[in-house]
Amino acid sequence: MSGYSDSHSEQAVRPSGVPSGVTEVGEEGLAQQAWTLLFSLLHTHMRNFPALAAEFELSPVQAHVLRQLGEGALAMSTLANYLSCDASNVTGLVDRLEARGLVERRSSEQDRRVKMLVLTEAGAELRGRLMARMFEPPPFVTEMPEEDQVALRDIMRRALKTQ
Amino acid sequence: MSGYSDSHSEQAVRPSGVPSGVTEVGEEGLAQQAWTLLFSLLHTHMRNFPALAAEFELSPVQAHVLRQLGEGALAMSTLANYLSCDASNVTGLVDRLEARGLVERRSSEQDRRVKMLVLTEAGAELRGRLMARMFEPPPFVTEMPEEDQVALRDIMRRALKTQ
DNA sequence: CCTCAAAGGTTGATAGTGTCAATTGTTTAT
DNA sequence: ATAAACAATTGACACTATCAACCTTTGAGG
């Protein structure tokens, strides 16, 4: 019953009736219609992320860590922030990756408290294959008409910029 | 080192260089550009799903289960399929939800092997609030120009239909 | 200089999530 | 009637996650 923080917030429940499932789209406004559809497609797709990670004998979280560890070194605490998890969790996570020779702890020169994480040769190689696999577009994208792909890309570019 | 199945597949690595991070978009084709952008936005958003679930004192998986349990009763094995996980996992999952009074096991009349899952009153109420919260569109959608929201909705509708 | 508060990381306790192998009970096909 | 197949559970074990307590190092003020 515990183990999950109670950040909480008194949530105003949408008065005009609550969507009761994934597929229905009511009269709740444009943004919500777009979001609900996007959400349901994405959700379907995300379901096989664990299987994708398993192709490389990684857990989903380990895959996520490798992904974050691309550009240079990262402090453990920084990684904890990226993962939105407790620092103590990262210790074990990195222990296991280090035991597999994918990652190295390296004490910082500037501040001897912090340990910087860097990919090993093997880690970088595995990460490359993992990224290539992750970025393969799923069928629901590849099977879109080309003009939809263009529109989607442009919309997402704009969204990323203003975000 | 174990605990993750080795489904595996000899994966053709994209020859034209491997994307090394989330944000870069190379010359890898329209579908991949669109997908990479979508993925990076979605990924950012999905990071706070655990916090969202925690608002209701649910783990991410429990939230997922409640979401699936909307329309009528579901056999445990069916739920295992939806979650893409082992049936034995569902036992404990449902145990905890049942202990909290959100869900009920009900033996099927037709086949006494199967147990049907139904939401209790409290479960349905909680699910309603959870769904309303989940379908609140995130900023990157609400802050789009209206014509982008329309286009996005229409693209996603078409994608859902052909999927 | 010295102390003390704050920060980075680790450890131990405890719980949830997930797999696999083995088991029990029920159904279905031969 | 027997055997094969299926639904759910149990037990063993590993990974993910949190919290509290701890140690070392750092940085600020007295």
Side-chain angles (χ1 to χ4, degrees):
Chain A
M1 203 70 62
S2 75
Y4 297 98
S5 63
D6 50 343
S7 44
H8 178 65
S9 78
E10 210 53 45
Q11 195 50 52
V13 171
R14 195 169 319 296
S16 63
V18 158
S20 67
V22 166
T23 48
E24 55 268 65
V25 174
E27 323 304 353
E28 297 94 359
L30 202 43
Q32 180 162 16
Q33 289 176 33
W35 172 241
T36 305
L37 289 162
L38 187 55
F39 186 93
S40 100
L41 271 172
L42 257 295
H43 173 82
T44 301
H45 179 263
M46 289 303 175
R47 274 176 50 185
N48 41 30
F49 183 69
L52 190 157
E55 291 174 21
F56 303 90
E57 316 227 32
L58 295 169
S59 74
V61 181
Q62 289 173 332
H64 193 181
V65 170
L66 250 59
R67 177 168 158 279
Q68 294 289 0
L69 235 50
E71 340 279 348
L74 237 87
M76 313 248 324
S77 55
T78 309
L79 183 56
N81 273 339
Y82 281 149
L83 299 174
S84 326
C85 77
D86 195 272
S88 64
N89 195 20
V90 174
T91 298
L93 220 46
V94 170
D95 282 348
R96 287 182 285 272
L97 289 172
E98 202 170 28
R100 273 178 64 176
L102 299 174
V103 153
E104 245 185 56
R105 279 173 168 96
R106 195 168 290 178
S107 281
S108 162
E109 291 299 329
Q110 291 81 36
D111 186 338
R112 278 181 307 178
R113 288 173 302 181
V114 337
K115 293 183 184 154
M116 304 301 285
L117 301 174
V118 288
L119 292 176
T120 62
E121 187 94 12
E125 187 272 344
L126 181 57
R127 178 177 188 276
R129 290 189 293 132
L130 175 66
M131 294 286 94
R133 180 76 177 80
M134 273 173 45
F135 289 144
E136 278 173 25
F140 87 86
V141 173
T142 57
E143 285 163 18
M144 278 177 187
E146 183 160 321
E147 67 263 27
D148 279 3
Q149 294 180 358
V150 173
L152 183 58
R153 179 198 59 187
D154 293 345
I155 291 172
M156 290 300 144
R157 275 191 186 150
R158 284 192 284 275
L160 254 180
K161 214 167 293 177
T162 68
Q163 193 198 29
Chain B
M1 205 70 65
S2 75
Y4 296 98
S5 62
D6 51 344
S7 43
H8 180 63
S9 76
E10 210 52 45
Q11 195 51 52
V13 172
R14 194 166 321 295
S16 62
V18 157
S20 67
V22 165
T23 47
E24 54 270 65
V25 174
E27 323 304 353
E28 296 95 0
L30 201 44
Q32 180 161 14
Q33 290 176 32
W35 172 240
T36 304
L37 289 163
L38 187 55
F39 186 92
S40 100
L41 271 172
L42 257 294
H43 174 81
T44 300
H45 179 263
M46 288 302 175
R47 273 176 50 186
N48 42 30
F49 183 69
L52 189 158
E55 292 174 19
F56 303 90
E57 315 227 34
L58 295 170
S59 74
V61 181
Q62 289 173 331
H64 192 180
V65 170
L66 250 58
R67 178 168 157 279
Q68 294 289 0
L69 235 50
E71 340 278 348
L74 233 80
M76 314 245 330
S77 55
T78 309
L79 183 56
N81 274 338
Y82 282 148
L83 299 174
S84 326
C85 76
D86 196 272
S88 64
N89 195 19
V90 175
T91 298
L93 220 45
V94 170
D95 282 349
R96 288 181 284 273
L97 289 172
E98 202 170 27
R100 273 178 64 176
L102 299 175
V103 154
E104 245 185 57
R105 280 172 168 96
R106 196 168 289 179
S107 280
S108 161
E109 291 300 328
Q110 290 82 35
D111 185 338
R112 278 180 307 177
R113 288 172 302 180
V114 336
K115 293 183 183 153
M116 304 301 285
L117 300 175
V118 288
L119 291 177
T120 62
E121 187 94 12
E125 187 271 344
L126 182 57
R127 179 177 188 276
R129 290 190 293 133
L130 175 66
M131 295 287 93
R133 180 76 178 79
M134 272 172 46
F135 288 143
E136 276 172 27
F140 87 85
V141 172
T142 57
E143 284 163 18
M144 279 177 186
E146 184 160 322
E147 67 262 28
D148 278 4
Q149 294 180 358
V150 173
L152 183 58
R153 180 197 60 187
D154 293 345
I155 290 171
M156 289 301 142
R157 275 191 186 152
R158 283 192 285 276
L160 254 179
K161 214 168 291 176
T162 69
Q163 193 198 31

